[in-house]
């Protein structure tokens, strides 16, 4: 297939480029600003004219739309930028995809939910975001569906990958300098490895079953549990992780963002289709750490 990737220099985009190329797809990788160098073409998703020109020339079969304003505290402080990139940008990408008859994979988030359900969220639960990041991503989902007939919305959670800033790297860096790590213990979700997400997306796009998919690794944990697993698996298990509340975190790190307390997603669409589930987060973390070590990242 001919696949156009937005946000190709980002954490997900970097693994998507490698994996999809290895699978034999023909790629056009795009991103904004200084990241657009070498094999990555410059493309700002808020520029509809540029999108139409690039899409018209490449004529993708599928657009993997990973570009987003992902800084959740930044979104909270600047909701207009959040909506310009995550809502308008996704709308424009969807319109440009529709114009050339392409399918669209719009990556979204567990932050579209408020976390109050008390059970895993399915694709059929009504979203109710409690942050500007979540609201802007939900607006992007809805606009994408309206603008492009062939839209897969793929919601994922607590994403980490070898390339990019992420929670495991932050914990490892802090563990080398701090006697104890204060980490949130009252938010429960599911860490998801970029490689597993890309592999599942490449299966989803084989069938024309457009709609919403929840794609995360299996199981659930708190951020504090996740931190402990990272440290234990890297020989730093002696560094204590002190569980703190979300309120303590907000005060300590001056974070303005409300986050869902329980945002675990059931992969109900994949389940109903009889697809294999993704592996547990703990097993995926082992693979991530092995790759990060191999590539000299940790
Ligand atoms: N990270 C998570 O925990 C998580 C969880 C759930 C869902 N998601 C979703 O997964 C997707 C990928 O996330 P990620 O963590 O890989 O994000 P990322 O590393 O921040 O990558 C996003 C990329 O999009 C680029 N971008 C920003 N504004 C753009 C614009 N106007 N035009 C074109 N590109 C633009 C960014 O460039 P700059 O860096 O220069 O801004 C960056 O290279 C996003 O849709 C995100 O919302 C992420």
């Amino acid at each position: 297939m001919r696949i156009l990737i937005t946000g190709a220099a980002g954490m997900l985009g970097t693994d998507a480029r490698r994996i999809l190329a290895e699978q034999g797809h023909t790629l056009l990788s795009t991103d904004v600003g200084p990241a657009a160098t070498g094999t990555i073409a410059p493309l700002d998703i808020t520029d509809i004219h540029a999108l139409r020109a690039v899409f018209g020339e490449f004529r993708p079969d599928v657009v993997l739309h990973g570009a987003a304003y992902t800084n959740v505290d930044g979104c909270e402080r600047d909701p207009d930028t959040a909506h310009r990139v995550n809502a308008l940008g996704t709308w424009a990408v969807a319109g440009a995809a529709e114009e050339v008859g392409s399918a669209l994979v719009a990556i979204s988030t567990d932050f579209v939910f408020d976390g109050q359900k008390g059970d895993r969220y399915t694709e059929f639960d009504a979203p109710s975001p409690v942050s500007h990041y979540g609201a802007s991503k939900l607006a992007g989902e809805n606009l994408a569906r309206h603008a492009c007939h062939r839209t897969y919305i793929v919601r994922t959670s607590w994403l980490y990958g070898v390339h990019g800033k992420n929670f495991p790297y932050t914990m490892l860096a802090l563990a080398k300098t701090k006697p104890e790590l204060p980490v949130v213990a009252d938010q429960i979700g599911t860490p998801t490895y970029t490689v597993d997400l890309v592999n599942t997306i490449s299966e989803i796009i084989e069938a024309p079953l457009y709609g919403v998919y929840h794609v995360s690794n299996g199981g659930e944990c708190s951020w504090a549990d996740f931190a402990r697993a990272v440290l234990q698996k890297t020989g730093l298990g002696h560094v204590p992780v002190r569980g703190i509340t979300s309120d303590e975190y907000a005060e300590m790190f001056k974070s303005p963002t409300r986050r869902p307390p329980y945002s675990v997603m059931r992969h109900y669409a994949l389940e109903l289709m009889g697809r294999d589930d993704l592996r547990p987060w703990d097993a995926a973390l082992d693979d991530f750490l092995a790759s990060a070590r191999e590539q000299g990242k940790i």
Side-chain angles (χ1 to χ4, degrees):
M1 282 195 240
R2 296 175 68 77
I3 303 182
L4 188 151
I5 304 175
T6 69
M11 186 170 68
L12 176 65
T14 303
D15 276 334
R17 277 188 280 143
R18 179 182 57 77
I19 295 167
L20 297 172
E22 281 169 9
Q23 290 176 355
H25 297 290
T26 301
L27 302 184
L28 178 64
S29 300
T30 69
D31 208 308
V32 74
T37 53
T39 56
I40 301 181
L43 185 61
D44 182 337
I45 58 162
T46 64
D47 182 344
I48 183 67
H49 301 295
L51 285 167
R52 293 178 76 185
V54 171
F55 283 34
E57 193 174 325
F58 183 67
R59 302 204 76 82
D61 301 306
V62 176
V63 175
L64 174 50
H65 174 42
Y69 183 31
T70 55
N71 176 338
V72 292
D73 285 342
C75 289
E76 209 58 27
R77 294 191 179 100
D78 183 0
D80 289 346
T81 299
H83 282 80
R84 191 171 50 77
V85 177
N86 297 339
L88 170 76
T90 301
W91 191 6
V93 168
E98 175 74 8
E99 190 170 45
V100 296
S102 175
L104 170 69
V105 180
I107 308 295
S108 192
T109 169
D110 57 327
F111 272 43
V112 298
F113 296 115
D114 62 15
Q116 300 295 335
K117 183 183 173 187
D119 198 356
R120 292 178 302 161
Y121 285 95
T122 77
E123 292 85 341
F124 306 114
D125 286 317
S128 176
V130 291
S131 64
H132 286 297
Y133 170 69
S136 65
K137 293 292 291 184
L138 178 61
E141 285 188 10
N142 292 332
L143 291 162
R145 266 193 294 243
H146 284 298
C148 179
H149 283 91
R150 302 182 185 86
T151 295
Y152 307 93
I153 305 288
V154 175
R155 294 186 187 134
T156 192
S157 61
W158 298 23
L159 202 58
Y160 64 94
V162 169
H163 311 277
K165 285 187 207 155
N166 60 50
F167 181 82
Y169 287 164
T170 304
M171 292 302 110
L172 290 173
L174 289 174
K176 287 176 188 150
T177 56
K178 306 271 182 205
E180 173 190 81
L181 306 188
V183 184
V184 171
D186 63 359
Q187 286 168 32
I188 309 293
T190 309
T192 303
Y193 185 24
T194 44
V195 168
D196 292 6
L197 174 59
V198 174
N199 282 326
T200 305
I201 289 171
S202 75
E203 288 168 18
I204 288 172
I205 59 177
E206 282 169 13
L209 290 169
Y210 308 109
V212 182
Y213 292 80
H214 286 176
V215 182
S216 52
N217 277 118
E220 60 182 64
C221 65
S222 68
W223 289 109
D225 296 330
F226 189 17
R228 287 188 191 101
V230 170
L231 298 186
Q232 271 157 18
K233 289 171 188 287
T234 51
L236 291 165
H238 56 279
V239 179
V241 170
R242 179 169 56 86
I244 60 170
T245 64
S246 300
D247 288 346
E248 286 173 308
Y249 173 88
E251 178 62 32
M252 215 179 268
F253 297 98
K254 305 288 170 239
S255 170
T257 312
R258 272 182 70 203
R259 293 166 167 83
Y262 185 89
S263 59
V264 179
M265 297 186 295
R266 182 174 175 186
H267 312 148
Y268 202 26
L270 295 176
E271 255 180 62
L272 293 173
M273 290 173 194
R275 303 273 191 89
D276 288 342
D277 203 2
L278 281 82
R279 61 184 161 169
W281 69 266
D282 194 57
L285 180 59
D286 288 334
D287 263 11
F288 160 78
L289 291 169
S291 292
R293 255 183 234 112
E294 262 173 38
Q295 297 180 47
K297 300 277 187 181
I298 57 172

